[in-house]
Amino acid sequence: DILPEDSIIINEPDYFYKLDKQVFWIIIVSILGLSLILVMLIISILQRRKVEKRIKAQLSFQEILMDTIPLLICWKDKQQLGLNDSEIDLHRRFAEQAAVWDKKVVKSGKPRMGINWSLIRDGEDPVWLEINKVPLYNEKGEVVGTLSTAEDVTRKVNL
């Protein structure tokens, strides 16, 4: 500070933190870019957590609904239609007929509603079921399986 303005210091030590302006600005822009990416990732993670909470709530509701509905509910995709329904531990004749209905629903894309079926069990009265089968679609509108419900309507039939 005391030296005259035009004086030159000989053998002045270089500062270890002194950077070229171009390198300095590249570092600053990189830090800002990375900070922006970090903020976007945090927002994305928060949105994902919000969606996951909604999905968990929806699945919980569906589980409660499935546990409390007095219907038998079954869904199958196209691969399961090829399996023998008796593997699902059903009455054999019913299993064979259910497979036929499922294939018709998948092929036509139209629901089959109000099918009445009598299950005859050894030494017991028959149980009457009212069966509904509807096609399940994917995002492209293609039939990918069936959703079936069966309600015990034995009292109604006996009346």
Side-chain angles (χ1 to χ4, degrees):
D1 291 345
I2 306 174
L3 294 173
E5 283 184 33
D6 294 339
S7 40
I8 298 175
I9 301 175
I10 301 174
N11 295 330
E12 177 183 16
D14 239 357
Y15 297 107
F16 69 93
Y17 57 86
K18 188 175 184 181
L19 294 175
D20 183 27
K21 285 184 180 182
Q22 187 176 9
V23 173
F24 173 78
W25 285 110
I26 289 174
I27 291 172
I28 294 298
V29 169
S30 298
I31 289 173
L32 290 175
L34 290 173
S35 298
L36 180 64
I37 291 171
L38 181 64
V39 168
M40 290 172 32
L41 285 173
I42 289 172
I43 290 170
S44 175
I45 289 170
L46 292 175
Q47 287 175 340
R48 183 182 175 124
R49 284 184 184 168
K50 198 183 295 186
V51 169
E52 285 175 354
K53 282 182 183 180
R54 282 198 314 237
I55 289 171
K56 284 180 184 177
Q58 195 172 25
L59 288 174
S60 174
F61 172 75
Q62 285 178 341
E63 186 176 340
I64 291 168
L65 188 64
M66 297 297 268
D67 289 343
T68 57
I69 286 181
L71 298 174
L72 300 171
I73 300 174
C74 174
W75 57 85
K76 299 179 192 174
D77 61 20
K78 282 186 176 179
Q79 287 76 29
Q80 290 174 317
L81 295 180
L83 295 176
N84 185 345
D85 283 297
S86 60
E87 292 175 13
I88 308 173
D89 198 28
L90 296 171
H91 190 273
R92 184 171 197 76
R93 196 171 64 111
F94 174 74
E96 291 167 356
Q97 185 59 48
V100 170
W101 291 326
D102 287 330
K103 288 175 184 173
K104 283 183 181 178
V105 168
V106 168
K107 186 176 180 181
S108 69
K110 295 180 181 174
R112 300 223 22 180
M113 308 297 280
I115 304 167
N116 288 313
W117 186 267
S118 174
L119 285 176
I120 301 169
R121 300 175 292 178
D122 294 335
E124 295 185 33
D125 293 334
V127 174
W128 285 89
L129 298 175
E130 183 176 302
I131 301 160
N132 298 308
K133 294 187 170 284
V134 296
L136 295 174
Y137 299 95
N138 64 9
E139 316 75 52
K140 298 176 186 174
E142 301 166 336
V143 177
V144 293
T146 61
L147 174 67
S148 305
T149 61
E151 180 180 5
D152 183 350
V153 291
T154 306
R155 286 185 184 166
K156 187 169 132 180
V157 170
N158 289 341
L159 288 175

